[in-house]
């Protein structure tokens, strides 16, 4: 089995070499035997055979030229009365090639010309079949019809095989084109996925850095003021700064592990709603009074990754409180599981120095928060409250089943 497969592969990959070898094979097989027999008119047989076989060298590279030369030699034979030679079967090879590799119109034209030429040839050279002038019609007509049907069947068979080969080749080409298109589409999908991952990492980096630095800066300011009067408070504050920095460094390392392709690193940091309490405790250590309330019971499942989004919404809202609302601010976090989804509300009173609700609602953080929630068909609103302060409200629906 291996030998014939290798042979078939060689034939497919070396078509021109095969065609070049076909010409001497035809001449050796169908011309030299006449030399051994001493056939009369041997020189004419050689010339006609060479004229018929030589165009096969270009039967794939120049299909129409090769077919035209074979057709011209055959028509010249009919016009001048030169008898057919054994190499005349080259017409069938040419018809197959024309149907397989030539234009559609050329294949059909070749079929009609070959059918007509073989019929005319049978009539012209009827004497070679034993059909003489004095022969009975009852004996010669059936023989003539049998030969006509046989020859025309060979012509039709050669064209049909060529047409099937053409259809097969076009099918393979269509499959190859489709495979290439699918590969291009897969590459585009990979590029889009990589871009989405980069965007996700950028949002994660912002959330980690912005929140952690806000906590560290607030704690550092408090430690500086307390160091002269209550050193023990300064010591605790410095401990909070160190813990916050270590936690942020761990998350940064995990994100950088993703960028480096480190398989041992977690692909994404995935805090959940259970981590909100830890987040609030870290914010309280910064001097902000934060209360957290939970209401309702879940009536459905949140989409995968939605709890991470909910956590980041709370984190970004509290980070904005730390950065813009002042040290005397209090904030209230509400996580309400309603009938349609999870509602997140973060209110602050904005009574501290430097409160600027307009500034708090702008920037990369709010945009990133909105992009996250929209991935899960949710919504975010961020606006000043009536009477002072600021409100961030988000809604994430349950998974539809």
């Amino acid at each position: 089995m291996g030998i014939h497969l290798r042979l078939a592969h060689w034939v497919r990959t070396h078509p021109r070499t095969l065609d070049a070898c076909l010409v001497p094979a035809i001449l050796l097989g169908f011309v030299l035997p006449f030399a051994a027999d001493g056939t009369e008119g041997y020189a004419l047989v050689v010339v006609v055979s060479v004229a018929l076989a030589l165009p096969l060298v270009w039967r794939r590279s120049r299909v129409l030229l090769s077919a035209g030369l074979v057709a011209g030699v055959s028509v010249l034979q009919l016009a001048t009365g030169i008898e057919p030679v054994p190499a005349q079967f080259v017409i069938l090879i040419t018809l197959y090639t024309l149907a397989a590799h030539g234009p559609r119109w050329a294949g059909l034209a070749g079929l009609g010309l070959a059918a007509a030429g073989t019929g005319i040839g049978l009539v012209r050279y009827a004497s070679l079949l034993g059909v003489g002038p004095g022969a009975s019609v009852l004996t010669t007509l059936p023989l003539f019809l049998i030969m006509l049907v046989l020859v025309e069947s060979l012509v039709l068979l050669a064209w049909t095989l060529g047409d099937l080969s053409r259809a097969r080749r076009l099918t393979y080409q269509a499959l190859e084109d489709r495979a290439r298109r699918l590969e291009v589409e897969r590459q585009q999908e990979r590029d889009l996925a990589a871009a989405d991952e980069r965007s996700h990492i950028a949002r994660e980096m912002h959330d980690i850095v912005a929140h952690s630095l806000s906590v560290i800066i607030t704690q550092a300011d408090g430690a500086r003021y307390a160091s002269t009067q209550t050193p023990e408070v300064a010591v605790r504050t410095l401990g909070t700064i160190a813990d916050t920095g270590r936690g942020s460094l761990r998350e940064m390392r995990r994100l950088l592990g993703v960028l480096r392709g480190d398989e041992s690193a977690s692909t994404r940091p995935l805090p959940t709603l259970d981590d909100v309490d830890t987040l609030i405790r870290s914010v309280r250590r910064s001097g902000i009074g934060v209360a957290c309330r939970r209401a309702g019971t879940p009536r459905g499942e949140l989409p995968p990754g939605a709890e991470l989004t909910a956590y980041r919404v709370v984190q970004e809202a509290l980070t904005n409180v730390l950065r813009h609302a002042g040290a005397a601010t209090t904030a209230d976090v509400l996580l309400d599981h309603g009938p349609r989804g999870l509602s997140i509300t973060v209110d602050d009173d904005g009574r501290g120095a430097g409160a600027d609700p307009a500034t708090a609602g702008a920037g990369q953080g709010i945009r990133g928060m909105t992009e996250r929630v929209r991935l899960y068909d949710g919504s975010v609103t961020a606006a000043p409250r009536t009477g002072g302060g600021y409100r961030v409200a988000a809604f994430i629906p349950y998974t539809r089943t």
Side-chain angles (χ1 to χ4, degrees), residues 52 69-81 88 91 113 117 125:
L52 287 171
L69 292 174
V70 173
V73 173
S74 301
V75 171
L76 184 62
Q77 284 181 265
L78 289 176
T80 58
Q88 210 77 42
I91 295 174
L113 182 61
Y125 303 109

Side-chain angles (χ1 to χ4, degrees), residues 206-215 279 282-283 315 319 322:
H206 172 270
D207 292 339
I208 294 170
V209 173
H211 174 74
S212 302
L213 288 181
S214 296
V215 172
L279 172 66
S282 69
V283 175
Q315 183 185 50
T319 298
L322 284 170

Side-chain angles (χ1 to χ4, degrees), residues 251-287:
E251 292 198 58
M252 291 283 288
R253 283 174 176 170
R254 286 195 285 183
L255 286 175
L256 293 176
V258 174
L259 294 176
R260 289 194 304 264
D262 186 0
E263 295 182 358
S264 63
S266 175
T267 56
R268 289 186 178 181
L270 294 175
T272 64
L273 289 175
D274 294 334
D275 298 305
V276 171
D277 293 333
T278 303
L279 172 66
I280 289 175
R281 284 195 296 269
S282 69
V283 175
R284 285 172 181 164
R285 289 196 295 268
S286 301

Side-chain angles (χ1 to χ4, degrees), residues 340-357:
R340 295 176 50 246
L342 172 65
S343 297
I344 305 168
T345 306
V346 180
D347 291 323
D348 68 79
D349 52 23
R351 293 176 298 184
D356 187 355

Side-chain angles (χ1 to χ4, degrees), residues 217-228 230-231 233-235 237-238 241:
I217 291 171
T218 304
Q219 293 285 343
D221 288 339
R224 184 178 60 186
Y225 296 140
S227 60
T228 57
T230 52
V233 174
V235 172
T237 303
L238 291 175
I241 292 174

